Amino acid sequence: MSASNKPGPSESVFVQLHINDLRTTDSPALSLAHSQGKKHITHFLPIYVFDERILPLDCIPGFSASRQTKDVQGKTSIDKAEKETEEDAEEEEIKPLGQEDKPSRTTTNQPATKDRDHRSTGRVGPRSRLGNFWRVGRHRAKFLVETVFDLKKTYESKGGGLIIACGKPEDVAVKVVESLVKSGKKVEGVWTQKEVTTEEVTLLRHLRHGLERSGVELHLVDSKPMINPSDLPFKIEDIPGVFTSFRKLVEALGDDMVRDPLPEVKKVKPLPQRPASLSKDVFILSGELLIMDAILRYILAPLIAEPQFGDDLEARPIPQTEEEWKTYTIPPLDPRSAHPFIGGETSGVARLDDYLGTLTGGKHGKGEGGSKAMSYKDTRNGMVGEAFSTKFSGWLANGSLSGRYIGWRVRQLQDRLREEGKLDKHVAGNVYWISFELLWRDFFFWTCERFSHEPSYTAKKNNQRKNKGQPSGEALPGEAGTASSLFNLGGWKEVLRPAESQKTLGDWKGFNLDDPKDPIRRLMEGNTGIPFLDACMRELAITGFMSNRGRQNVASFWGTDLYVDWRVGAEIFETHLIDFDVCSNWGNWQYQAGVGNDPRSYRQFNQIKQANDYDPDGEYVLTWIPELGQVDRRFVHTPWLISDAEKKRCGLGTPGGYPSSPLLVQPQWKKHYPSNRAPPKPKNDNKQNKNKGPHQNGKA
Ligand SMILES: Cc1cc2nc3c(=O)[nH]c(=O)nc-3n(C[C@H](O)[C@H](O)[C@H](O)COP(=O)(O)OP(=O)(O)OC[C@H]3O[C@@H](n4cnc5c(N)ncnc54)[C@H](O)[C@@H]3O)c2cc1C
């Protein structure tokens, strides 16, 4: 939008608020705005807002000052709207983020020592509720900024543009709409992606309330899952509680399971002229701040000044002068990273081409490549290198790739391989498995939706108390509510089958992150003395990624060996993971903690067996724990078993060195100790390449 006050009498503006749908390919709102039915739309206005509730934005020049000015000037209409909706939210027990001391995510349940109350670091900025971690760590923040700027570039290359702002997305969108309406433009409506979890739904409700004041409607686009929601053979309330039953029902849709993506929009309608008054109310990026590297530095500096547990990055103070900012650089990605993650649709599509083959070229003119996908199932449980598993998750998480588009690309590859006579049973199984795994993503999304319609046991009780038995909340029919049991210590089981859960709430332990010996702190720092787990946690903090195998083992150890409040684990994953997705992360954590959708309510991974199976020659562990370099390879997963003299020779147990004894040992680990097994097999002849059962690949 270029700044101007000139009215545009026949201008009709279609607004899209991007949140977790940062793409132009297979984007329902973009397609609708450019459809025949919307010919009267003259301008397309996409907006992205860096959310101050999850990102530290105070270093961005002018941003803090703009907030203060607003405070001095008094409250705007959106503030009033917020106040009213705050009151609504209060009824539902969950207040919006940033407007309360106790953040909103967790609805209820006790344990978890509140680290927020214990640590006296004086830290400020957007923090998690229990562990006081950054809401978004440095890897995801970088990936996000890259994604947003890639989106802007793509829109511009198609004739459009993207407004990038800072603040609260709902607040910014409402103010933009108000100013457009005031300047005489017609606003067709605001489109954004449907979400189903607490903070996200609260945001959408605020947005809807705020827009009502301008008489503009909010439209939710249900574009997150791979399967089109209207194709589901059941109502969301009836989604099976177990993945396999869900999978069988949706697989019965056959070729119709995944629809074709929407046709590409080649030419995008222009941005409307920006009402001059708008920049007073909204902090829109302009000038130097529209250079990606500049904004990246300002957002990352606080995160780099305080690296989170496990990150080996040397803390660097936040620059204080312009000169210091000029020379400030972002640390490069660690070369050991499982993938050179770069945010944005462009790099996401490049990864699709690399993994699933291209759509054009090749002998048959229908594309070429795809060999990685042809051995996907065989290799997805790998731990080292970029070729094991697809690494699509980061792009899926912020919506720079859609699930449907990936599902469709899988089908394109299947069709081509069939035509080329290469789709034998083994290859077909491998390629299909990508869609299979994507179904897990859909499953967690809809399970979250189901439970967001259904208030948790405690929320229900509280609401009944407050409303004297009257149901509260004001969700529109079919719309998700805000009271979800996703964040409850008792998980969905609190609602589902409490009797089946082997733990009671009182069994969960708290933690004290001030204490370097605290088990959870040692785990987060990759310093438990159990190499497989330590390697996973170090990789996560240093690169923002951890394999699915690693995630399962860490979560299982956290929840079933240490018995520490699993939500703190979900929080530290949320901080570090490039691919953090609220439903997948919290849903999987519940699953591993035995309070979620796992039909076996008490699943405990045998850490030594897992290490032997998935890292037989210790390559993964040695990548992340070079301190074990001198240890006899046979004991690389159990270094505590070597003699004291050997420990000394290898430098174990020295101050600041790798621990010489493990945090704990489980009796069932012993039968997998080195003396009881054959010497390690050579590389590439390991269990990573064996096909076992779904997802968990057989017994833990
Ligand atoms: C404790 C725990 C936390 C997790 N947190 C997240 C998270 O925040 N975000 C996230 O995207 N995934 C999460 N997962 C699921 C899974 O580990 C990652 O999706 C996967 O490791 C990402 O790598 P990939 O893209 O190479 O996956 P691939 O193995 O190539 O799978 C392809 C895609 O299928 C989906 N998928 C695969 N497994 C799962 C699963 N178990 N649950 C949901 N979707 C799945 C993902 O979208 C993934 O990109 C978590 C798993 C566990 C056990």
Side-chain angles (χ1 to χ4, degrees):
M1 277 197 301
S2 56
S4 160
N5 253 342
K6 273 191 193 157
S10 57
E11 287 184 16
S12 185
V13 187
F14 186 111
V15 179
Q16 177 175 8
L17 176 63
H18 283 282
I19 301 180
N20 282 322
D21 55 349
L22 299 167
R23 62 176 180 274
T24 58
T25 306
D26 194 34
S27 164
L30 179 66
S31 291
L32 179 66
H34 295 81
S35 62
Q36 283 298 320
K38 298 283 179 203
K39 269 193 154 170
H40 59 283
I41 299 292
T42 52
H43 296 86
F44 179 66
L45 173 55
I47 306 171
Y48 180 79
V49 185
F50 288 111
D51 193 332
E52 64 186 18
R53 291 161 299 196
I54 57 168
L55 289 162
L57 304 179
D58 287 343
C59 291
I60 297 176
F63 179 64
S64 298
S66 77
R67 315 287 299 157
Q68 280 156 18
T69 317
K70 190 189 122 187
D71 285 350
V72 172
Q73 281 172 348
K75 306 233 175 232
T76 62
S77 61
I78 179 71
D79 294 318
K80 283 187 228 142
E82 274 178 4
K83 191 163 181 330
E84 282 167 30
T85 46
E86 251 172 65
E87 283 155 13
D88 299 335
E90 234 171 8
E91 280 181 19
E92 292 155 358
E93 273 298 292
I94 301 161
K95 292 183 185 176
L97 252 190
Q99 303 195 357
E100 21 123 58
D101 299 331
K102 310 254 182 241
S104 56
R105 270 290 176 78
T106 310
T107 48
T108 44
N109 288 321
Q110 292 306 309
T113 312
K114 284 199 176 127
D115 192 62
R116 177 178 289 274
D117 300 337
H118 280 210
R119 266 190 290 172
S120 51
T121 52
R123 302 186 312 170
V124 289
R127 304 291 173 154
S128 69
R129 191 178 96 84
L130 301 172
N132 208 7
F133 313 127
W134 287 118
R135 284 298 302 272
V136 178
R138 66 183 177 103
H139 303 294
R140 184 148 49 93
K142 178 170 176 290
F143 193 79
L144 176 64
V145 173
E146 289 165 348
T147 304
V148 171
F149 277 80
D150 182 65
L151 182 65
K152 180 170 180 289
K153 208 167 148 194
T154 308
Y155 273 133
E156 285 169 356
S157 72
K158 290 170 182 276
L162 173 71
I163 293 301
I164 308 176
C166 295
K168 293 177 188 157
E170 66 277 30
D171 190 336
V172 170
V174 168
K175 286 174 183 164
V176 168
V177 166
E178 277 175 358
S179 73
L180 288 171
V181 170
K182 270 190 206 141
S183 68
K185 297 180 172 66
K186 178 174 180 334
V187 178
E188 178 81 359
V190 175
W191 275 257
T192 195
Q193 184 166 270
K194 175 180 159 177
E195 299 285 348
V196 295
T197 39
T198 309
E199 289 171 8
E200 291 73 11
V201 171
T202 304
L203 183 159
L204 295 177
R205 286 194 180 175
H206 280 209
L207 179 56
R208 198 180 71 213
H209 277 271
L211 292 174
E212 272 166 11
R213 283 163 176 79
S214 301
V216 171
E217 210 179 317
L218 175 68
H219 304 266
L220 298 182
V221 180
D222 208 348
S223 57
K224 224 167 176 177
M226 173 174 71
I227 300 175
N228 194 303
S230 59
D231 293 340
L232 285 179
F234 46 77
K235 286 200 232 135
I236 294 298
E237 302 84 89
D238 301 327
I239 184 173
V242 173
F243 173 73
T244 308
S245 316
F246 160 79
R247 175 178 64 79
K248 286 183 180 156
L249 286 173
V250 292
E251 280 179 344
L253 295 168
D255 281 349
D256 294 333
M257 187 172 87
V258 182
R259 290 191 187 187
D260 288 357
L262 296 161
E264 188 192 345
V265 175
K266 294 207 169 100
K267 192 158 169 28
V268 172
K269 291 175 184 171
L271 291 177
Q273 290 203 317
R274 185 193 309 172
S277 63
L278 185 59
S279 34
K280 276 205 278 119
D281 294 333
V282 177
F283 190 83
I284 295 178
L285 300 195
S286 60
E288 182 228 22
L289 294 180
L290 275 179
I291 300 167
M292 189 185 79
D293 287 346
I295 196 88
L296 197 54
R297 270 181 307 190
Y298 296 128
I299 293 181
L300 259 61
L303 305 174
I304 291 170
E306 193 201 316
Q308 301 290 269
F309 291 105
D311 194 344
D312 65 352
L313 189 71
E314 203 180 314
R316 264 194 285 153
I318 298 174
Q320 297 299 316
T321 63
E322 247 179 71
E323 268 321 293
E324 283 174 4
W325 276 116
K326 271 187 199 147
T327 53
Y328 190 79
T329 50
I330 301 299
L333 187 66
D334 190 290
R336 293 169 292 178
S337 173
H339 192 265
F341 294 102
I342 296 172
E345 187 176 0
T346 309
S347 57
V349 170
R351 177 61 177 174
L352 285 184
D353 288 348
D354 173 47
Y355 206 89
L356 299 173
T358 57
L359 288 176
T360 54
K363 256 204 306 214
H364 303 268
K366 284 191 171 178
E368 59 192 345
S371 57
K372 287 178 185 165
M374 288 162 77
S375 56
Y376 169 72
K377 192 180 171 193
D378 294 343
T379 53
R380 78 171 289 263
N381 275 293
M383 309 284 292
V384 183
E386 62 75 35
F388 83 84
S389 83
T390 64
K391 315 291 185 304
F392 295 157
S393 52
W395 292 286
L396 277 164
N398 69 22
S400 37
L401 292 178
S402 78
R404 173 166 64 181
Y405 184 67
I406 298 182
W408 176 78
R409 289 286 301 257
V410 169
R411 219 171 60 210
Q412 299 307 298
L413 176 63
Q414 288 166 328
D415 290 349
R416 173 163 66 78
L417 293 175
R418 195 175 294 110
E419 275 178 33
E420 293 173 0
K422 292 182 186 159
L423 199 70
D424 61 32
K425 207 172 159 205
H426 183 73
V427 170
N430 270 276
V431 177
Y432 171 71
W433 215 255
I434 300 172
S435 307
F436 173 99
E437 293 299 341
L438 285 164
L439 288 178
W440 274 100
R441 180 173 173 270
D442 283 12
F443 176 64
F444 281 121
F445 177 77
W446 282 313
T447 302
C448 286
E449 180 169 2
R450 171 188 161 189
F451 285 106
S452 78
H453 286 294
E454 195 172 322
S456 75
Y457 173 71
T458 322
K460 238 190 269 176
K461 240 179 29 186
N462 289 344
N463 277 343
Q464 272 166 9
R465 215 178 38 231
K466 278 193 176 159
N467 301 311
K468 300 191 183 66
Q470 294 305 308
S472 78
E474 42 152 347
L476 294 176
E479 189 190 23
T482 54
S484 166
S485 44
L486 180 60
F487 310 105
N488 276 7
L489 187 57
W492 288 312
K493 289 239 160 141
E494 187 192 44
V495 181
L496 275 176
R497 295 176 299 245
E500 271 186 33
S501 181
Q502 294 208 354
K503 290 187 206 75
T504 65
L505 292 183
D507 286 330
W508 294 102
K509 291 180 196 151
F511 58 98
N512 175 10
L513 299 184
D514 279 337
D515 178 4
K517 292 195 183 122
D518 180 88
I520 280 303
R521 175 152 166 194
R522 283 181 64 184
L523 179 56
M524 290 195 304
E525 288 177 340
N527 206 24
T528 62
I530 305 162
F532 192 60
L533 291 167
D534 290 339
C536 289
M537 287 307 285
R538 289 184 187 192
E539 181 189 17
L540 172 69
I542 294 170
T543 71
F545 186 79
M546 190 198 292
S547 68
N548 184 58
R549 179 61 37 193
R551 296 180 204 200
Q552 288 177 325
N553 277 281
V554 167
S556 167
F557 185 77
W558 192 302
T560 65
D561 294 73
L562 295 178
Y563 293 109
V564 175
D565 188 333
W566 60 270
R567 297 172 302 177
V568 187
E571 280 190 357
I572 193 71
F573 270 39
E574 174 167 346
T575 299
H576 286 312
L577 279 176
I578 282 175
D579 63 28
F580 169 71
D581 170 90
V582 59
C583 304
S584 293
N585 187 60
W586 287 79
N588 271 290
W589 268 93
Q590 281 207 12
Y591 189 99
Q592 295 299 338
V595 297
N597 298 70
D598 190 351
R600 290 188 272 168
S601 62
Y602 193 76
R603 186 192 297 267
Q604 185 178 39
F605 281 68
N606 183 320
Q607 297 298 332
I608 305 305
K609 180 179 184 311
Q610 290 277 311
N612 292 338
D613 285 353
Y614 296 101
D615 187 30
D617 52 7
E619 189 191 358
Y620 177 69
V621 153
L622 289 171
T623 303
W624 296 104
I625 315 179
E627 304 100 292
L628 292 173
Q630 298 298 312
V631 172
D632 177 343
R633 283 269 179 132
R634 285 194 317 136
F635 292 94
V636 85
H637 293 304
T638 50
W640 58 90
L641 297 178
I642 61 178
S643 69
D644 286 348
E646 268 296 281
K647 282 180 186 165
K648 200 167 166 202
R649 185 187 69 78
C650 299
L652 303 189
T654 52
Y658 194 71
S660 56
S661 56
L663 184 59
L664 61 82
V665 163
Q666 295 288 12
Q668 62 271 26
W669 291 2
K670 294 195 174 134
K671 67 176 182 209
H672 301 283
Y673 281 175
S675 52
N676 288 343
R677 70 182 173 104
K681 291 176 189 166
K683 225 175 135 185
N684 295 333
D685 180 22
N686 58 43
K687 286 228 174 148
Q688 288 177 18
N689 296 333
K690 272 196 183 175
N691 292 337
K692 287 179 159 188
H695 190 58
Q696 299 288 347
N697 279 24
K699 279 191 183 149

